[in-house]
Structures are given as structure tokens and as C-alpha cells.
Amino acid sequence: MPSEPAPADGEPTSFREKAKTWAEKHETAVRVVKAVGTTVGAAVAVMAVRHVMTQNVTEYADDDQVTEYAEDDQVTEDKRRPPVRHSVAEHTRTLADGRVIPIPPYKRGGSSEDEGEDPDEVAA
């Protein structure tokens, strides 16, 4: 049921020919639709770029905060804690030249303040 009469040769008109004819008749409407489509597409692209940039700034800000916390943790870890006072059992040690020497038991660790408290624990 074509809305237009069939061509003189009796063959049906192709969709491409119908579209071309319609576009020629409505040239102004086609131009307006193209302009609106281009404008909307550009606006969407700008909004997408702004969104991505905002996300990147937020991510970098989060990274900076994480770095600050990590630096604070690192400063805390960098402070040397004195080892816990403990006894070392008698053992042997092999020197670089191959000799094996006995090591008597001794105490190690703790702070230098602890050394003066008990004269029995003073290392030789």
C-alpha cells in the first residue's frame, strides 16, 4: 500500500530512493536534526570528559591521603624500638676461615638504661 503512486515503469521504488526524495523535500528539517544531534553529542562528550577528570582528581586526592597515612606509618615504623631483653644460649660459631669457636651464654636486648640496674647482667 504505497502512499505515492508507482513509477511509470511499474517497478516499486527502493527505500533508498524514497529516503532521498523525502530528504530533498524536508531539507531544512534534516539540517535542524543534524545540528541538534551534533550539539547534543558535543554536550555529552564534554560532560563525559568532565566526569572522568573529576574522578581522576578524586582518585589522586585519595592516593595522596593514602600516601600521607603510609608516610605516618613509615615514620612510626622507622623509629627503632629496643629489642626485648633475652638470654642467648651457649652455641658455636663458624668463622670465615673455617674455625669453629664456642660462644658462652649471654644476655642481649633491652635499652642501655637497663644495663646499669643489675650488675650480674653486664656483658663481658
Side-chain angles (χ1 to χ4, degrees), residues 14-25:
S14 71
F15 176 77
R16 183 176 183 182
E17 290 175 5
K18 288 181 183 179
K20 185 177 179 181
T21 305
W22 183 88
E24 287 172 355
K25 287 182 184 178

Side-chain angles (χ1 to χ4, degrees), residues 79-98:
K79 292 181 182 175
R80 188 174 184 279
R81 296 183 195 117
V84 176
R85 188 90 170 146
H86 63 280
S87 298
V88 177
E90 183 177 347
H91 60 282
T92 59
R93 178 169 293 153
T94 305
L95 301 178
D97 62 2

Side-chain angles (χ1 to χ4, degrees), residues 4 13 17 37-38 46 52-53 61 63 69 77 88-89 96 107 110 113 120:
E4 296 181 16
T13 309
E17 290 175 5
T38 303
V46 168
V52 168
M53 289 174 62
D63 289 346
Y69 294 134
E77 290 175 10
V88 177
K107 303 245 185 223
E113 297 168 0
D120 295 336

Side-chain angles (χ1 to χ4, degrees), residues 98-121:
R99 291 182 294 150
V100 178
I101 60 171
I103 306 293
Y106 60 95
K107 303 245 185 223
R108 68 180 294 191
S111 66
S112 59
E113 297 168 0
D114 294 340
E115 289 181 18
E117 292 179 7
D118 190 358
D120 295 336
E121 294 183 5

